[in-house]
Amino acid sequence: MTTTFPTLKNDRLLRALRFEPVDTTPVWMMRQAGRYLPEYKATRAEAGDFLSLCKDTARATEVTLQPLRRFELDAAILFSDILTVPDALDLGLYFEAGEGPRFQKTVRTESDIANLPTLNMADLSYVTDAVTSIRHALGGQVPLFGFSGSPWTLATYMIEGGSSKEYRHAKEMMYARPELLHALLGKIAEAVTEYLDAQIVAGADLVQIFDSWGGALGHRQFAEFSHQYNRQIIANLKAKHPTVPVVMFTKGGGLWVDVQADSRADALGFDWTMPLDKARAVLGKDKAIQGNLDPATLYGTTDSIRTAVQNMLTDVYGSGIHTGYVANFGHGITQWANPDHAKAFVDAVHEFKL
């Protein structure tokens, strides 16, 4: 059954992704619904914990809309977490105070991989319910992003049992038993494809794949263990939803802009280590660009934020292409950011003369 949603009023971001003319630069912020907002903290306290908040349709809708009440953003993003897929694969996600996400089970052996269940989207219905709820609640104000973690990034959490700085077990599998890692990545890629497809069907206007730990790989390993699976997911999504934009974001992945350029992603996101004029020189008008201000810029003054934004936009528009770009940070806004400084960032982007 097709759901009818309110007509979109602000399609600036979607037009930019299609390289159509825009009146001003579209902007949104990764993690824009989060711990830097006092209203988010209050809603999370009401929910009891992070996972309960994610699984509460009304509250997940509320926190998604909160930043849009403060800032003139050009997109909303589903409030959820990249680890919902591993959780649905029966690994037992929980959050340890001061340590971040953890799993009760790890995936390190051939039997562990063989015993992973097939993704049952009924276990993630709270995500698709939230997508549909948010689309209606937005009233057509701005487009809605759905998202997922990439296979490599999700695999690191599943193998390590949580966050890691060294990726000891994941890299041990990669170098000692690469066939095992490929088997795991293949299963995750199928799950991610189904997950993103379900979000699109539920109402997401576009989707983003977060390859948060892609930059931890060597250049050959990135192509083999990360990029090829991201490329596969995007190709499969495009086969079913050819007009739905896909943004591919690899933190630390600017070095591989030429590698990523062969995917069917509509846009590539970059962190602050990648000069955007160089990204545009490689991509031309083949792919839009998203990024890439260091979120720590918000620790500065409103004047220094405006200067940083002007420098970023001057870089990306220096080739004379005045569309095909979405302003954002090079990673998620931090919990220590001043909301007034986030507003200064958004306003500075919109005030820049194309």
Side-chain angles (χ1 to χ4, degrees):
M1 182 180 295
T2 301
T3 303
T4 301
F5 294 109
T7 302
L8 190 59
K9 301 169 186 175
N10 174 359
D11 66 346
R12 184 182 291 140
L13 185 145
L14 299 180
R15 284 188 282 118
L17 294 180
R18 297 191 296 262
F19 282 88
E20 296 174 1
V22 290
D23 57 332
T24 190
T25 301
V27 57
W28 67 285
M29 300 180 290
M30 288 186 278
R31 292 184 187 157
Q32 63 190 26
R35 292 179 292 174
Y36 73 107
L37 293 177
E39 55 267 44
Y40 167 83
K41 296 175 185 177
T43 306
R44 176 168 171 169
E46 292 172 1
D49 59 68
F50 177 75
L51 277 179
S52 296
L53 178 55
C54 290
K55 295 180 179 182
D56 184 321
T57 301
R59 288 193 171 99
T61 301
E62 165 62 18
V63 296
T64 299
L65 298 180
Q66 285 172 349
L68 296 170
R69 299 183 187 125
R70 282 181 175 261
F71 318 121
E72 293 185 17
L73 297 160
D74 294 297
I77 183 166
L78 161 72
F79 180 79
S80 188
D81 192 84
I82 65 170
L83 298 181
T84 51
V85 168
D87 186 43
L89 295 178
D90 199 31
L91 296 187
L93 175 65
Y94 66 99
F95 287 82
E96 194 74 44
E99 294 185 17
R102 308 292 299 175
F103 286 106
Q104 294 172 3
K105 304 176 187 176
T106 56
V107 181
R108 296 180 184 173
T109 67
E110 192 167 353
S111 62
D112 289 339
I113 296 169
N115 290 330
L116 280 173
T118 300
L119 182 69
N120 182 352
M121 275 306 303
D123 295 330
L124 290 168
S125 60
Y126 65 90
V127 176
T128 51
D129 287 348
V131 169
T132 302
S133 172
I134 294 163
R135 268 298 299 273
H136 284 296
L138 282 168
Q141 181 179 354
V142 293
L144 173 65
F145 271 93
F147 71 91
S148 175
S150 72
W152 162 252
T153 293
L154 297 183
T156 65
Y157 284 99
M158 294 166 70
I159 297 167
E160 301 294 335
S163 301
S164 176
K165 293 182 179 179
E166 297 177 348
Y167 311 98
R168 177 204 159 184
H169 298 289
K171 289 195 172 185
E172 180 179 3
M173 185 184 294
M174 181 174 67
Y175 288 113
R177 297 292 305 277
E179 74 283 1
L180 287 188
L181 183 53
H182 280 303
L184 176 58
L185 292 169
K187 285 196 170 189
I188 299 173
E190 290 178 4
V192 168
T193 302
E194 184 176 358
Y195 184 50
L196 290 176
D197 170 64
Q199 291 183 43
I200 292 168
V201 171
D205 294 288
L206 68 168
V207 294
Q208 176 158 313
I209 299 172
F210 286 87
D211 193 15
S212 303
W213 308 134
L217 292 164
H219 62 284
R220 292 183 179 86
Q221 288 71 34
F222 173 76
E224 179 178 356
F225 294 98
S226 182
H227 173 65
Q228 74 157 312
Y229 293 99
N230 297 334
R231 190 174 184 274
Q232 171 188 319
I233 291 166
I234 296 168
N236 288 336
L237 287 175
K238 287 294 185 179
K240 294 188 69 174
H241 309 285
T243 63
V244 175
V246 179
V247 179
M248 183 68 239
F249 170 64
T250 300
K251 188 172 184 289
L255 180 66
W256 307 306
V257 58
D258 56 336
V259 175
Q260 297 186 75
D262 82 339
S263 77
R264 292 186 61 189
D266 298 89
L268 297 180
F270 298 102
D271 69 14
W272 53 90
T273 63
M274 181 62 182
L276 295 187
D277 53 346
K278 293 185 178 180
R280 178 58 74 210
V282 173
L283 297 173
K285 293 188 72 173
D286 290 335
K287 291 195 189 306
I289 291 170
Q290 179 176 277
N292 68 339
L293 197 70
D294 182 351
T297 303
L298 297 194
Y299 302 153
T301 65
T302 54
D303 286 341
S304 66
I305 292 166
R306 290 190 196 97
T307 298
V309 168
Q310 290 169 0
N311 289 339
M312 178 176 70
L313 271 61
T314 298
D315 283 348
V316 78
Y317 291 135
S319 67
I321 301 173
H322 290 166
T323 185
Y325 171 67
V326 175
N328 206 319
F329 297 123
H331 203 226
I333 186 171
T334 73
Q335 62 179 303
W336 305 285
N338 182 334
D340 292 338
H341 287 189
K343 184 178 187 303
F345 162 68
V346 173
D347 292 346
V349 170
H350 282 157
E351 291 164 5
F352 186 85
K353 301 300 182 183
L354 293 176

